[in-house]
Structures are given as structure tokens and as C-alpha cells.
Amino acid sequence: MDERFQRGLAITPSSSASARTVDITTIGAKTARERSIEIWFYRVHDEVYLTTQPARRSWYANLLQHPQFTFHLRNPVRADLPATAEPVPDRESRRRVFEEIISDLNQPQHRAYISQPVQPVEEWLAGSPLIHVTFQA
């Protein structure tokens, strides 16, 4: 992957909300039309993930039905990256990833835009979508 894109994906727990905010364009599970949303992405052990606090999400249903999507970097690099979504169904893998994400979200610099502490890991395991993102060459 291009070094410029790697820089755009190189977030850490100290990264700002704007650095971790991207848009994704999916294909609707029911409509087969393009759908775009703004979402945060996370890096855990040098892998990229999409998730949200516990809730049902249409973007997740879209990616389960149509795993090919576009990951739009916005800050500090702008790029449209073709990607593939892979759900993470294994409970222990989900736990490891969610523990890192929860730790990230509970950092003091995130208090301005997220209620802390975030829900416990058991709630994330029960109700949060989790997608592993692979970028296409």
C-alpha cells in the first residue's frame, strides 16, 4: 500500500476524532443502491476495524450482504480505497479487539465527544458489529 495511505491509516489512541473519521460507501443489502456514512475506524495490532457502540447498524447488514466497499480517507490524507469487509464472529477474537477499542475510547482526550466510560466489553460482545477491513491492492 502507498506510504501516503499508510500515514492516513496510522491512528493511535491519542489520535483526534477527525483523524479517525472516514466515510464508507456500501451497497444496500435490500436496495442494492450505494449508501455512504461517516464512521470512526480503529487500529488494533496494525489491523483496521469498523465498529460502533452496541446497536443494530444498516452499514453492517450492507457489508454482510456485499462485502466489497469503498473506504474514504479524509484526514490528514484524502483517498478512496477499495476494501473488503470480513465480519469477526469468533468470540475470543472479538473480545481482544473490543478490549483494545474500549481502552482507546476511554482515553481522556475523547471525553468531549463520547460518554465515558463506554459500555463494558460484555455489552460490546453482545451488541456491536465488528468488521475487519482488508484493503485491495
Side-chain angles (χ1 to χ4, degrees):
M1 178 179 290
D2 185 296
E3 183 180 317
R4 184 173 56 105
F5 303 149
Q6 289 177 353
R7 279 196 317 271
L9 294 168
I11 61 169
T12 68
S14 64
S15 295
S16 68
S18 64
R20 62 183 68 235
T21 302
V22 297
D23 293 319
I24 61 170
T25 300
T26 63
I27 302 298
K30 294 178 182 174
T31 66
R33 293 184 180 154
E34 285 191 353
R35 301 286 184 213
S36 293
I37 63 155
E38 180 178 273
I39 190 169
W40 280 12
F41 75 97
Y42 301 89
R43 281 189 73 95
V44 176
H45 306 296
D46 289 326
E47 298 291 332
V48 174
Y49 293 90
L50 299 174
T51 191
T52 60
Q53 292 185 4
R56 293 183 66 175
R57 306 292 180 180
S58 59
W59 62 264
Y60 184 68
N62 294 348
L63 290 174
L64 292 177
Q65 186 72 27
H66 304 282
Q68 306 301 316
F69 72 106
T70 305
F71 189 99
H72 307 279
L73 284 173
R74 296 182 2 186
N75 201 8
V77 174
R78 289 196 173 274
D80 300 327
L81 305 176
T84 303
E86 180 183 354
V88 181
D90 174 69
R91 186 171 177 84
E92 285 311 306
S93 296
R94 289 171 59 82
R95 177 180 296 281
R96 283 191 300 275
V97 172
F98 283 143
E99 285 173 346
E100 294 288 330
I101 290 170
I102 290 167
S103 175
D104 182 349
L105 291 173
N106 282 327
Q107 296 295 314
Q109 69 271 19
H110 299 313
R111 284 189 188 130
Y113 37 83
I114 193 165
S115 297
Q116 292 180 336
V118 298
Q119 295 98 325
V121 70
E122 292 303 324
E123 289 183 30
W124 285 70
L125 285 166
S128 290
L130 182 60
I131 291 288
H132 176 250
V133 178
T134 303
F135 296 99
Q136 299 169 6

